[in-house]
Amino acid sequence: MRLYAAVAAGGFRRYATYRVATAAGVFTNTVFGFILAYTYIALWDERPGLGGYDMSEALTYVWVGQALLATCGLMGGGFEDELMERIKTGDIAVDLYRPADLQLWWLSVSLGRAAFQLLGRGVVPLAAGALAFDLALPGRPWTWLAFLVSVALGAVVSFAVWFLVALSAFWLMDGAGVVQVAWLSGTFFSGMLLPLTVFPGALGEVARLLPWASLLQVPADVFLEKWNGWELMGMYAFQGGWALVLLLAGRAVQAAATRRVVVQGG
């Protein structure tokens, strides 16, 4: 495990070197947060209590979303392009023969990246939102820890989704189509545009059961203290269940890809 801890630390340091990109990301998240916030204000003025949120909670949802945009990879996991490129060039064969598990290696990289993005790109937009608006910040100290646990589970689910997307390059000449579908799904079904509780009828019920809900909707509701006690444990089980299912699916696809590489290499 020390190997993967070192890989995660290396991933954190790697993204920490991109200071200009980080500053640009902070600026973009903050500006987009203000745009969304005023859009939500207009919407909630017309529909108070929409989705079960009051105005303060709705604005908090916006800024939590900006904090988690890069952390949980709502629009991309941050590693899939590199992994897909290695598959296309054939360099992945070297990775598969290394004495390290491919999935665990990239999971470690992704978690290191997520940790940096939460600190580097998440804290400032959320703080800016708290200064500009009356946000519903947690009233209990342990809620912050509960939130971080949910964010970590969301980051694992995000990795598992994007790992499967990247592995599609073993069978597709160009995985751009799969990336676009995953990008659109993450944007819509994570609750990035609107909370999933706003979605009507069957659409809302289905959206709240999909893995993308783990990336923003669940952590945001934990932050807003919508879940407590056994309900909170249920949300963790939801996230953990999707993480397990998707990681096992990724492992099965990785095994099939490894056999493909071995056969072609032979």
Side-chain angles (χ1 to χ4, degrees):
M1 294 302 296
R2 274 188 287 181
L3 169 63
Y4 301 112
V7 172
F12 185 99
R13 290 193 299 270
R14 174 184 177 185
Y15 283 90
T17 60
Y18 302 133
R19 297 177 183 175
V20 175
T22 299
V26 169
F27 177 78
T28 302
N29 287 154
T30 303
V31 170
F32 191 59
F34 276 101
I35 294 172
L36 268 182
Y38 285 110
T39 302
Y40 273 43
I41 288 173
L43 181 58
W44 260 259
D45 276 340
E46 293 295 323
R47 297 284 301 277
L50 182 63
Y53 300 106
D54 60 27
M55 179 70 79
S56 180
E57 290 173 333
L59 291 173
T60 304
Y61 184 95
V62 168
W63 291 103
V64 170
Q66 293 311 299
L68 299 185
L69 180 62
T71 303
C72 288
L74 304 186
M75 302 175 69
F79 71 92
E80 64 279 357
D81 290 339
E82 183 179 352
L83 180 53
M84 292 179 81
E85 185 62 27
R86 293 189 68 79
I87 293 172
K88 292 176 184 178
T89 60
D91 291 340
I92 193 67
V94 177
D95 299 338
L96 291 172
Y97 283 112
R98 285 176 179 166
D101 184 80
L102 182 72
Q103 187 185 56
L104 287 177
W105 180 281
W106 285 101
L107 173 59
S108 301
V109 171
S110 184
L111 291 179
R113 177 204 61 80
F116 171 75
Q117 297 291 13
L118 180 62
L119 295 174
R121 285 185 60 173
V123 172
V124 173
L126 183 58
L131 290 173
F133 302 96
D134 180 23
L135 301 188
L137 298 178
R140 296 185 291 267
W142 68 266
T143 300
W144 292 94
L145 178 59
F147 171 66
L148 290 177
V149 171
S150 185
V151 170
L153 289 169
V156 175
V157 173
S158 174
F159 162 79
V161 169
W162 287 104
F163 186 69
L164 283 168
V165 169
L167 291 186
S168 69
F170 275 107
W171 290 272
L172 301 175
M173 293 297 293
D174 185 358
V178 180
V179 170
Q180 286 297 316
V181 170
W183 182 83
L184 290 171
S185 299
T187 301
F188 187 76
F189 289 114
S190 66
M192 176 182 165
L193 301 179
L194 281 172
L196 299 183
T197 54
V198 174
F199 290 16
L203 175 61
E205 293 177 6
V206 171
R208 290 189 290 273
L209 292 175
L210 294 176
W212 292 282
S214 299
L215 311 188
L216 172 55
Q217 183 68 56
V218 173
D221 281 342
V222 171
F223 188 87
L224 290 168
E225 300 179 330
K226 296 290 186 180
W227 309 109
N228 293 288
W230 288 110
E231 290 181 329
L232 177 60
M233 293 300 104
M235 290 299 100
Y236 286 162
F238 172 78
Q239 291 180 290
W242 269 119
L244 180 61
V245 168
L246 293 171
L247 287 173
L248 288 175
R251 188 155 293 278
V253 175
Q254 176 183 318
T258 301
R259 289 194 296 270
R260 181 183 178 92
V261 170
V262 170
V263 169
Q264 289 180 343

